[in-house]
Amino acid sequence: MPYTADDQRYARANFRRCGRSGLDLPAISLGLWQNFGGTDVFETGRAILRRAFDRGVTHFDLANNYGPPPGSAEENFGRWMDLDFRPYRDELVISTKAGWDMWPGPYGNFGSRKYLVASLDQGLKRMGLDYVDIFYHHRPDPKTPLEETMGALDAIVRSGKALYVGVSSYGPDRTREAHAMLKAMGTPMLIHQPSYSMLNRWVEEKLLDTLTTLGVGCIAFSPLAQGLLTDKYLGGVPEGSRAAKAKSFSPDLVTDENVARIRALNEIAKARGQSLAQMAIAWVLRNPAVTSALIGARTVAQLDSSLDALDNLEFSGEELAAIDRSATEGGIDLWRSQSSIGRQPA
């Protein structure tokens, strides 16, 4: 059936200003890292995107290598645009990224100007778009001078292929240096996308303060710790889970200590009238430095449950203190080595 968006889609929507920019983002954004690629059920992904937009989610986040296979999430998204969302293009914020391995040879990875420009050109073709709203450098490059990477982002904005640019998994020092370079070129850094959850709190050490000072927005990915902060793992590793498949999430991370942590956190969530996942999303959003929480979804029901986190975003001091006793480092930061990379001089 032809899709017509719910005319009440903004009635309950929760938007936040992205740093010191003119752009608002939904408090919860939808990421297409998992469940939207060529090996997934096309109509399921389509139904999730429809439901998300009907509930006021205007931001869809992709990357060149999302799938599997790499590129297929962007291809599917282009088909969903054609089928459902072209009439609503100006109501959407569409983002994509490049920085991880995408094609063979020396030009298909990291942060060179050649790789970034080619990646975005390919992504625009896959999605059938003239431009994206946000283009990110997906991770720090230990070899390419930061001036080249930031220069490529500046050139991309000036070409009209992206309205805004951002970075992902940069540490605070490198973020400040990248921000200064972009500012000098006249292209502001809009947003930073770090991993952040109750079991992965590295951004609280310096990064969130850095972003606030610079006026840069923050969108937290993996607020559910790749599913660990759900009721799925309260009894260990269930069959059919992401950890059981050991593809993007190792079962070795579901330690006795982490299970004890999430069981304690689950009791707090139940007392709040929330699921553990809902509380985990609300907890990330408690910090005003966080513009949006970036979630995934496997089904429409799972999406709805996550979006219902917005019904209870307030925490008492007692709740936060209780959470802090169990919300400690769980050894699940798969991107720690990336955020610790320093800048290379030109």
Side-chain angles (χ1 to χ4, degrees):
M1 296 291 293
Y3 171 65
T4 301
D6 189 331
D7 60 7
Q8 297 298 308
R9 59 190 174 276
Y10 296 118
R12 295 175 56 211
N14 184 323
F15 286 86
R16 299 181 175 197
R17 184 54 55 100
C18 189
R20 289 196 292 268
S21 76
L23 185 68
D24 288 332
L25 291 179
I28 295 178
S29 300
L30 181 62
L32 279 66
W33 178 23
Q34 306 281 340
N35 307 313
F36 297 91
T39 62
D40 299 295
V41 179
F42 180 84
E43 289 298 330
T44 299
R46 184 184 183 188
I48 293 170
L49 264 67
R50 283 182 168 192
R51 180 61 172 169
F53 188 55
D54 282 345
R55 292 196 56 175
V57 176
T58 56
H59 178 206
F60 298 141
D61 180 79
L62 298 106
N64 60 344
N65 64 343
Y66 285 178
S72 61
E74 288 183 331
E75 290 174 352
N76 280 344
F77 186 77
R79 293 175 63 192
W80 292 319
M81 285 293 296
D82 289 337
L83 290 167
D84 297 326
F85 295 107
R86 295 284 173 200
Y88 306 102
R89 173 64 183 97
D90 291 335
E91 296 183 44
L92 297 175
V93 172
I94 301 168
S95 60
T96 194
K97 316 175 208 67
W100 289 90
D101 188 46
M102 184 60 188
W103 64 82
Y107 317 121
N109 204 344
F110 284 114
S112 71
R113 183 184 181 105
K114 179 173 177 60
Y115 170 62
L116 293 179
V117 172
S119 292
L120 180 54
D121 284 344
Q122 292 174 15
L124 292 174
K125 183 176 181 180
R126 284 190 286 264
M127 293 184 284
L129 298 175
D130 296 323
Y131 70 95
V132 292
D133 297 277
I134 305 171
F135 182 66
Y136 292 89
H137 184 220
H138 206 166
R139 62 163 170 170
D141 184 341
K143 295 182 179 179
T144 300
L146 191 57
E147 289 85 350
E148 178 174 341
T149 302
M150 294 304 110
L153 295 185
D154 172 69
I156 282 168
V157 170
R158 294 182 186 279
S159 73
K161 295 176 183 178
L163 301 184
Y164 303 93
V165 291
V167 297
S168 179
S169 296
Y170 276 44
D173 292 342
R174 194 178 179 94
T175 296
R176 281 192 296 270
E177 292 164 344
H179 176 272
M181 290 177 188
L182 286 170
K183 184 178 180 180
M185 288 182 277
T187 296
M189 179 187 291
L190 173 79
I191 193 167
H192 189 301
Q193 188 176 128
S195 61
Y196 183 35
S197 74
M198 292 193 291
L199 301 181
N200 176 18
R201 301 177 64 168
W202 73 279
V203 300
E204 295 177 358
E205 296 172 11
K206 290 183 180 179
L207 183 62
L208 290 182
D209 287 343
T210 297
L211 298 179
T212 299
T213 299
L214 297 176
V216 174
C218 175
I219 180 167
F221 77 85
S222 201
L224 303 184
Q226 299 196 71
L228 188 57
L229 288 167
T230 67
D231 58 9
K232 185 184 303 181
Y233 294 98
L234 294 173
V237 180
E239 185 177 350
S241 66
R242 190 185 301 183
K245 295 176 183 177
K247 291 183 178 179
S248 61
F249 188 59
S250 171
D252 295 338
L253 300 178
V254 190
T255 63
D256 291 342
E257 293 81 4
N258 278 340
V259 171
R261 289 184 177 98
I262 64 177
R263 285 176 177 170
L265 292 168
N266 187 58
E267 292 304 310
I268 301 170
K270 287 195 295 185
R272 285 171 50 83
Q274 289 183 309
S275 69
L276 176 56
Q278 289 167 345
M279 186 179 78
I281 294 168
W283 181 87
V284 164
L285 292 170
R286 86 201 184 284
N287 193 314
V290 176
T291 312
S292 185
L294 184 59
I295 65 165
R298 184 169 45 84
T299 64
V300 171
Q302 190 179 80
L303 171 75
D304 276 334
S305 180
S306 292
L307 293 178
D308 287 345
L310 297 175
D311 293 339
N312 185 7
L313 295 177
E314 300 299 321
F315 290 87
S316 69
E318 292 79 9
E319 286 174 328
L320 290 174
I323 288 170
D324 279 343
R325 287 192 286 271
S326 296
T328 55
E329 178 60 45
I332 64 163
D333 185 0
L334 307 181
W335 305 271
R336 182 172 295 276
S337 61
Q338 304 300 316
S339 60
S340 64
I341 291 173
R343 109 169 172 88
Q344 298 298 310

